């Protein structure tokens, strides 16, 4: 999940060639003769692991400490050159190879204000991300519509409506008006034009694209930071951070796909530490996200047709339910969750099956009601058996699927529907499977209890 493209470092570091001067238009220190850039770009550390494939960029451990204020100020400045430098720097600092052993990880606690600065970049894009055809229409103003100036702050609307009339009057006026006045009147535009999308003070498509790229880069940095154990607690307890990422996945149908993917992966990484009650806490709120809206956003991702999204959403549900404080908000959606997870079990993709089994493995351990609802879900038992019989490429997934069936048979009300699969259980038991011991316990629960005489008759004689 952390695979990212790395920029290739061109040119030689050493040698007797002269170092070119910094180019104009770039922030101070962006040239190749800068000590800061040399610290980032120089691969002088010979202790890098030799198992890494492809180009590797070693970052000096003191770089973040020496430039932390500059990074935050560059993000807050909004200047294109400074913002680009800061985002590129943070991308390098937060990136880590899969097998890389690096002790100089950059926790957010070392850089005060960095998390808020990154979130502000995403919020700036979210403010203008709504397409033009979906934007809210301007309200028709009726109060004082016949007056040029009303005093209610909408004078330009009234002046815009009267500009056309004034131009027509000037054009058809008496010959006493001089030619200069006519030229000025011909060049007049309605006052409201300045505020239109195609007027002077507009946000053009190039500006939108730049804001979008910056927001995606900031979300990628947040995702990379969420992989570091030093940052998990900070980000999981930061309400503004959680509100922003949940809002991004909530608008999955209209938001940038890469931004949604980064936000979802960030939440999945923070899932074991996430407490949904933070949305009703006394911490300052920037976006009105409630616990119910957060769960509904996850359900929207679970119902998505994108495999990476619904697999990550299933994994997130399995991690959230570990915290008992989240049960109150997740259990009202249990029926919808089980139905969708059982659908994922029928997919041929092994990663979708693994995500569904992992979520069900934690859900059935919550209470008796969860076990009863899953057993009553159509095709649930059959598809769990298919995961074991196939078998799944990961043995741990097969073990979890068998354990889910063992949890279901522990409830007396589930034994009758499970007896219909007694022959399948016995077949797995006598096939010398790795999970034969689990199915032996399942058959014992089904047939050997004293109060199961009626159930034994149903299973053996088909009554």
């Amino acid at each position: 999940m952390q695979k990212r493209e790395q920029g290739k470092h061109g040119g030689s570091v050493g040698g007797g060639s002269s170092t070119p001067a910094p180019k104009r238009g770039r922030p101070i220190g962006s040239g190749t003769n800068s000590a800061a850039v040399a610290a980032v770009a120089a691969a002088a550390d010979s202790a890098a692991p030799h198992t890494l494939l492809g180009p590797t960029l070693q970052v000096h451990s003191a770089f973040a400490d020496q430039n932390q204020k500059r990074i935050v100020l560059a993000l807050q400045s909004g200047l294109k050159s400074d913002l680009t430098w800061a985002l590129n720097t943070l991308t390098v600092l937060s990136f880590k190879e899969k097998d890389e052993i690096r002790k100089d990880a950059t926790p957010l606690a070392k850089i005060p204000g960095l998390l808020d600065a990154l979130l502000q970049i995403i919020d700036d894009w979210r403010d203008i991300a709504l397409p033009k055809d979906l934007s809210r229409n301007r309200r028709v103003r009726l109060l004082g519509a016949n007056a040029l100036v009303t005093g209610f702050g909408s004078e330009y609307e009234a002046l815009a409506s009267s500009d056309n009339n004034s131009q027509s009057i000037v054009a058809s006026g008496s010959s006493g008006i001089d030619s200069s006045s006519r030229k000025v009147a011909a060049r007049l535009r309605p006052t409201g034009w300045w505020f239109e999308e195609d007027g002077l003070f507009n946000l053009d498509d190039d500006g939108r694209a730049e804001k979008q790229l910056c927001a995606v880069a900031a979300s990628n940095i947040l995702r990379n930071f969420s992989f570091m154990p030093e940052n998990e607690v900070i980000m999981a307890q930061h309400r503004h951070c959680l509100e922003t990422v949940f809002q991004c996945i909530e608008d999955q149908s209209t938001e940038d796909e890469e931004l949604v993917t980064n936000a979802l992966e960030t939440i999945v990484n923070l899932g074991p530490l996430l407490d949904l009650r933070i949305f009703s806490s006394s911490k300052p709120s920037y976006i009105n996200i409630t616990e119910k809206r957060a769960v509904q956003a996850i359900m929207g991702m679970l119902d998505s047709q994108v495999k990476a999204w619904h697999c990550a959403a299933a994994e997130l549900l399995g991690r959230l339910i570990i915290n008992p404080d989240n049960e109150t908000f997740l259990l009202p959606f249990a029926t919808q969750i089980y139905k969708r997870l059982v659908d994922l079990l029928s997919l041929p993709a092994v990663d979708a099956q693994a995500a569904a089994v992992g979520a069900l493995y934690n859900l059935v351990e919550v209470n008796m009601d969860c076990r009863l609802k899953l057993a009553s879900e159509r095709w649930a038992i059959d598809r769990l058996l298919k995961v074991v019989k196939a078998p799944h490429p990961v043995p741990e997934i097969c073990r979890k699927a068998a354990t889910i069936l063992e949890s279901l048979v522990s409830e007396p009300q589930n034994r009758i529907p499970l007896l219909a699969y007694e022959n399948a259980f016995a077949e797995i038991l006598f096939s010398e499977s790795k999970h034969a011991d689990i199915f032996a316990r399942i058959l014992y629960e089904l047939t050997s209890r004293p109060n199961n005489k009626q159930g034994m008759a149903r299973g053996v004689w088909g009554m």
Side-chain angles (χ1 to χ4, degrees):
M1 296 175 67
Q2 284 181 295
K3 182 174 65 177
R4 303 292 299 177
E5 292 184 0
Q6 298 185 16
K8 296 182 179 180
H9 178 62
S12 60
V13 179
S17 59
S18 60
T19 305
K23 295 183 179 180
R24 296 180 59 188
R26 297 187 178 182
I28 299 175
S30 62
T32 54
N33 63 341
S34 173
V37 175
V40 177
D45 189 3
S46 60
H50 299 285
T51 58
L52 300 180
L53 301 178
T56 303
L57 192 62
Q58 298 298 319
V59 183
H60 196 275
S61 58
F63 180 81
D65 295 334
Q66 296 173 358
N67 298 272
Q68 57 181 357
K69 292 184 178 179
R70 181 187 172 193
I71 293 174
V72 175
L73 291 176
L75 292 173
Q76 296 174 346
S77 67
L79 300 177
K80 183 178 179 180
S81 57
D82 291 354
L83 191 60
T84 303
W85 173 83
L87 292 175
N88 290 337
T89 302
L90 289 174
T91 302
V92 173
L93 288 173
S94 62
F95 177 74
K96 184 179 180 181
E97 290 279 3
K98 183 178 181 181
D99 299 328
E100 181 182 355
I101 303 175
R102 195 174 71 186
K103 299 180 180 180
D104 55 336
T106 308
L108 294 175
K110 285 188 177 181
I111 307 180
L114 175 60
L115 187 57
D116 292 319
L118 289 171
L119 295 173
Q120 185 60 43
I121 295 175
I122 302 178
D123 292 341
D124 289 344
W125 159 245
R126 295 284 307 164
D127 292 340
I128 63 171
L130 198 63
K132 300 177 184 178
D133 54 347
L134 297 179
S135 59
R136 184 175 60 184
N137 296 328
R138 295 171 60 184
R139 186 180 62 179
V140 179
R141 184 175 63 84
L142 301 178
L143 180 62
N146 298 326
L148 294 179
V149 179
T150 62
F152 289 98
S154 302
E155 288 80 3
Y156 72 92
E157 296 181 2
L159 294 175
S161 62
S162 62
D163 279 340
N164 293 330
N165 297 331
S166 62
Q167 290 180 17
S168 61
I169 294 175
V170 172
S172 60
S174 61
S175 58
I177 302 177
D178 55 356
S179 58
S180 61
S181 300
R182 292 178 181 178
K183 293 180 180 179
V184 173
R187 292 196 300 267
L188 288 177
R189 288 183 177 270
T191 310
W193 175 81
W194 304 104
F195 301 92
E196 295 295 335
E197 192 68 29
D198 298 327
L200 180 62
F201 304 105
N202 68 327
L203 188 62
D204 54 6
D205 294 335
D206 293 337
R208 286 177 180 269
E210 291 177 359
K211 289 283 188 181
Q212 183 177 4
L213 290 175
C214 292
V216 171
S219 66
N220 181 65
I221 294 169
L222 291 177
R223 186 206 67 153
N224 291 348
F225 273 131
S226 66
F227 282 101
M228 300 180 183
E230 300 87 353
N231 299 326
E232 291 179 349
V233 177
I234 301 174
M235 299 179 70
Q237 297 178 356
H238 199 284
R239 182 173 180 176
H240 186 196
C241 177
L242 298 179
E243 288 177 339
T244 300
V245 292
F246 269 105
Q247 190 187 43
C248 290
I249 68 172
E250 187 180 35
D251 298 336
Q252 55 162 322
S253 58
T254 58
E255 191 51 84
D256 181 84
E257 293 183 2
E258 188 173 358
L259 180 59
V260 174
T261 303
N262 290 336
L264 182 59
E265 291 183 357
T266 302
I267 302 175
V268 173
N269 292 336
L270 303 177
L273 302 176
L274 189 59
D275 188 351
L276 295 177
R277 295 180 301 173
I278 192 174
F279 296 120
S280 59
S281 63
S282 58
K283 294 184 177 181
S285 174
Y286 297 85
I287 306 170
N288 187 19
I289 295 291
T290 60
E291 296 89 345
K292 184 177 181 179
R293 281 185 59 184
V295 177
Q296 288 175 344
I298 300 174
M299 295 301 300
M301 301 300 294
L302 187 65
D303 294 333
S304 172
Q305 298 299 320
V306 182
K307 185 179 71 171
W309 289 358
H310 59 236
C311 290
E315 185 178 358
L316 175 59
L317 289 173
R319 296 185 178 189
L320 286 177
I321 201 63
I322 296 177
N323 188 352
D325 297 326
N326 295 329
E327 296 177 3
T328 308
F329 312 108
L330 293 175
L331 291 184
F333 298 88
T335 303
Q336 305 174 28
I337 293 174
Y338 288 142
K339 181 176 178 58
R340 180 55 179 163
L341 292 179
V342 172
D343 290 340
L344 294 182
L345 289 175
S346 64
L347 298 180
V350 293
D351 51 352
Q353 295 177 0
V357 170
L360 292 174
Y361 180 78
N362 293 330
L363 284 167
V364 295
E365 298 298 328
V366 175
N367 52 32
M368 179 185 68
D369 187 63
C370 292
R371 292 186 284 272
L372 295 179
K373 287 183 178 180
L374 179 59
S376 62
E377 186 65 36
R378 188 181 184 186
W379 308 116
I381 302 174
D382 181 71
R383 288 170 181 172
L384 286 170
L385 276 173
K386 288 181 179 179
V387 172
V388 180
K389 287 181 178 180
H392 194 276
V394 181
E396 181 66 15
I397 301 301
C398 297
R399 186 193 67 81
K400 287 186 176 181
T403 306
I404 293 172
L405 295 173
E406 185 180 4
S407 298
L408 296 181
V409 79
S410 63
E411 300 296 335
Q413 301 179 33
N414 292 336
R415 290 170 185 167
I416 293 178
L418 285 169
L419 278 172
Y421 299 90
E422 183 181 5
N423 291 335
F425 296 155
E427 181 182 353
I428 298 176
L429 173 61
F430 293 111
S431 64
E432 297 182 357
S433 173
K434 296 180 180 179
H435 315 291
D437 56 339
I438 299 178
F439 286 93
R441 291 194 295 267
I442 292 176
L443 290 173
Y444 175 79
E445 290 287 338
L446 286 175
T447 58
S448 300
R449 289 293 183 94
N451 56 353
N452 283 348
K453 294 181 179 180
Q454 183 178 2
M456 291 175 59
R458 286 179 180 270
V460 177
W461 304 107
M463 296 177 55

